[in-house]
Amino acid sequence: MRNSGTVCGAAGDAGAPATRTQSGQMSQTAGHAAPEMQPHSMRAISPDYPRPKIPTAPVLSLATFLRDKHRPAPSILNHAGARFVTSGRMAIGLALQQMKIGPGDKVLLPAYNCSSMVEPVISIGATPVFYKIRPDTSVDLDDIEAHLDGNAKALLVTHYFGFPQTLSVVRRLCDQRGVMLVEDCAHSFFGGSDTSPVGAYGDYAIASSMKFFPIFDGGCLVSTRHDIGKIPLRSAGFGFEAKAVLNTLEKGFEYGRLKAVELLLYLPMALKNLAWRKIKNTAPTKYKAFGPGASDGGFSFEPSWLDKKSSLCSRVLIALASKSRIAAKRRANYMRLQEALADLPDCRPLFAQLPEEVVPYVFPLVARDPARVFPLLKNAGVPVIRFGEFLWDGVDETLCPVSVDLSRRVMQFPCHQELKPAELDWMIGQIRHIFLMKGVA
C-alpha cells in the first residue's frame, strides 16, 4: 500500500515555495486578497510514499477506554451545546453561515494555512484576506488591524499544533471594530488560553475531533456567545454510519490493535471487502462514497455535508474515551520526543517549552534542509506530515515570509495517545538515524 503523505495540504516536495490556487494550479501571485477562483478540482501530485509503519493519527484500541489518575484537561467540550459535524472544515462553514457571511464580505485568515481553512470562505462567495503571523505562530496584531476595513466581517485565528494563542487582546480588538471572531481549535481540542478552556474567546469556535480521537469522522462547533442549538443537522444515512464503524475498526486492525475482535470478524470483513471490490469494479461510474472526503484525506469543501451530523460511532467514542488519558499521553509523548531529539544537528523544536496548559496535536520540528530529510523519512515509513506545505494562492514571501518559511521547514511527528512505547522508540530511532546520516540536513 502506498501513501502520498498529504494531510491538509501537507506533503510533496519539502522545499517547494509555490502556492496553490483554488483550481490547484501553481501560482506566484502576490497580494493579500485571494483572486476570483473556480471550484477546487485537483491538487499537486505528490510522490507515492509507503504507508506509515506506525499510525499517524489515533487508532482504536482497548486502551482508548482506560481511565487514569490524571485530572481532566480543559477542552472545547467544556462549553455547553457543542454541535458535532463531520469535520472541522464543516464547522467553519457552519460558523460562517451563522454569521451571515456572503458575497462582498472579507474574512481574515492566517497566511500560514491549509485549504480546509480557505475553501469554506470561497464556497459562500466571500473573499479570504491573509494576515501575517510571527515565527512562533502568534498573530501579527498590527497586520490584522491594518486589514480591518468596512468589508472585513470575520477574523479566524488558529491555535497551531495545540499551542493556544493569547486571545484576550484579539477579542478586545474584534469588539472595538465590530468583527466576529472564529477561534480555530482544529489543532487544539484540549488545552487553555488565558486561563480559559480553548474556544472561550471566539464568537464561534471549531475543532477537528478526528485529530484527537480514534474515529472516522468528526468536527464540532461551539459558541459561548450565540445560541447554536437550533442549527438543523441530520444523519447522513445508514451507509455513512456503517462506514464509520467499519473504518474505525479496520484502522485499528491495520496497526495491530483489537486482535481478538479482528479474529472474530475476519470472515464478515473479508466478505464485505470482496463484495465492495466487485461493486466498484463492475459499476465504477455508479460508485458512491458514503463518507465525506475529509475523512479519506481529501482537501475539498463539500457543501452537501454541511447539514450532516457526525456519525453515531464517532460521537459515542468521543463520549467514552478517557479525556485525561488523551491529554496526559500526548504531553508525555511530546516530552519524550523533545528530549530524544534535542541534540540533533540542523533542527530544533518549533516551541522551546511545553506549557502546562498545552495538549499538543503533534511535535513540530523545524529542519534546516527538509527537502533532503523529508523524502527519507517518508520512504522509511515514518509518519511525518507537513501542515500548510501548499499555501493558498497569493501567499508568498512578499506577503508573509514567515508563513512561507514555516510551510517549507516545519515537519510534524505524531505524539498521540495511541502510540505504543515501542512505536515511539522506533520513530525516534528513524528520525535520529536520518538526521545524523552523513551529508543529510
Side-chain angles (χ1 to χ4, degrees), residues 27-360:
S27 172
Q28 301 294 336
T29 306
H32 287 211
E36 183 177 350
M37 302 174 189
Q38 298 301 315
H40 180 78
S41 60
M42 62 180 291
R43 277 269 158 188
I45 298 175
S46 299
D48 196 19
Y49 293 117
R51 177 183 72 87
K53 292 183 179 179
I54 63 175
T56 306
V59 292
L60 186 64
S61 72
L62 293 179
T64 299
F65 309 104
L66 292 178
R67 295 298 183 260
D68 61 25
K69 61 184 178 181
H70 296 90
R71 62 182 176 83
S75 80
I76 198 167
L77 296 183
N78 285 119
H79 312 299
R83 305 308 306 274
F84 291 96
V85 291
T86 58
S87 67
R89 72 191 71 171
M90 290 300 123
I92 293 176
L94 277 183
L96 295 173
Q97 187 181 77
Q98 292 299 298
M99 292 185 290
K100 296 180 171 53
I101 303 293
D105 295 331
K106 294 179 181 178
V107 178
L108 272 60
L109 302 173
Y112 189 31
N113 60 62
C114 74
S115 61
S116 296
M117 301 157 68
V118 188
E119 289 200 0
V121 177
I122 297 291
S123 73
I124 58 174
T127 301
V129 177
F130 301 106
Y131 63 84
K132 298 175 183 177
I133 66 165
R134 303 186 188 280
D136 63 354
T137 73
S138 62
V139 300
D140 185 328
L141 205 61
D142 291 336
D143 196 53
I144 288 175
E145 191 164 11
H147 287 88
L148 293 179
D149 59 20
N151 292 322
K153 303 299 183 184
L155 165 67
L156 183 143
V157 175
T158 301
H159 300 310
Y160 291 101
F161 310 125
F163 287 71
Q165 304 270 355
T166 300
L167 289 183
S168 53
V169 178
V170 178
R171 178 72 263 175
R172 188 158 56 247
L173 176 63
C174 288
D175 290 340
Q176 291 171 352
R177 303 296 291 270
V179 173
M180 304 284 270
L181 176 61
V182 178
E183 192 173 339
D184 179 4
C185 307
H187 293 182
S188 296
F189 198 96
F190 298 91
S193 174
D194 295 333
T195 71
S196 297
V198 289
Y201 283 91
D203 287 278
Y204 298 90
I206 71 96
S208 177
S209 38
M210 287 187 289
K211 293 179 173 65
F212 287 84
F213 295 86
I215 54 180
F216 169 68
D217 67 285
C220 72
L221 175 70
V222 304
S223 179
T224 60
R225 292 169 171 250
H226 306 278
D227 180 12
I228 59 174
K230 296 180 180 178
I231 297 177
L233 296 175
R234 60 189 179 88
S235 171
F238 176 78
F240 169 62
E241 299 289 349
K243 180 169 184 176
V245 173
L246 293 172
N247 180 275
T248 300
L249 289 172
E250 287 174 331
K251 281 293 182 184
F253 300 161
E254 184 180 354
Y255 285 103
R257 273 66 167 181
L258 304 172
K259 287 185 177 295
V261 178
E262 181 181 16
L263 185 62
L264 288 171
L265 295 180
Y266 176 78
L267 183 58
M269 297 293 274
L271 292 173
K272 182 270 296 182
N273 291 335
L274 181 64
W276 197 237
R277 282 196 299 270
K278 185 175 181 180
I279 290 171
K280 290 195 287 186
N281 291 336
T282 56
T285 59
K286 296 182 180 180
Y287 164 70
K288 176 184 176 182
F290 286 114
S295 293
D296 291 318
F299 300 101
S300 296
F301 180 80
E302 302 166 289
S304 61
W305 287 92
L306 194 58
D307 64 343
K308 307 300 189 300
K309 58 185 174 183
S310 182
S311 68
L312 177 61
C313 175
S314 295
R315 285 178 279 132
V316 168
L317 287 175
I318 290 172
L320 294 179
S322 171
K323 316 298 188 299
S324 58
R325 173 181 174 270
I326 291 173
K329 285 283 190 180
R330 283 178 175 266
R331 286 183 56 85
N333 289 342
Y334 185 100
M335 294 299 291
R336 173 83 176 91
L337 284 160
Q338 188 170 50
E339 178 184 354
L341 305 179
D343 64 337
L344 285 182
D346 300 310
C347 66
R348 61 174 176 81
L350 177 61
F351 304 104
Q353 303 293 330
L354 182 66
E356 185 178 349
E357 69 275 10
V358 170
V359 177

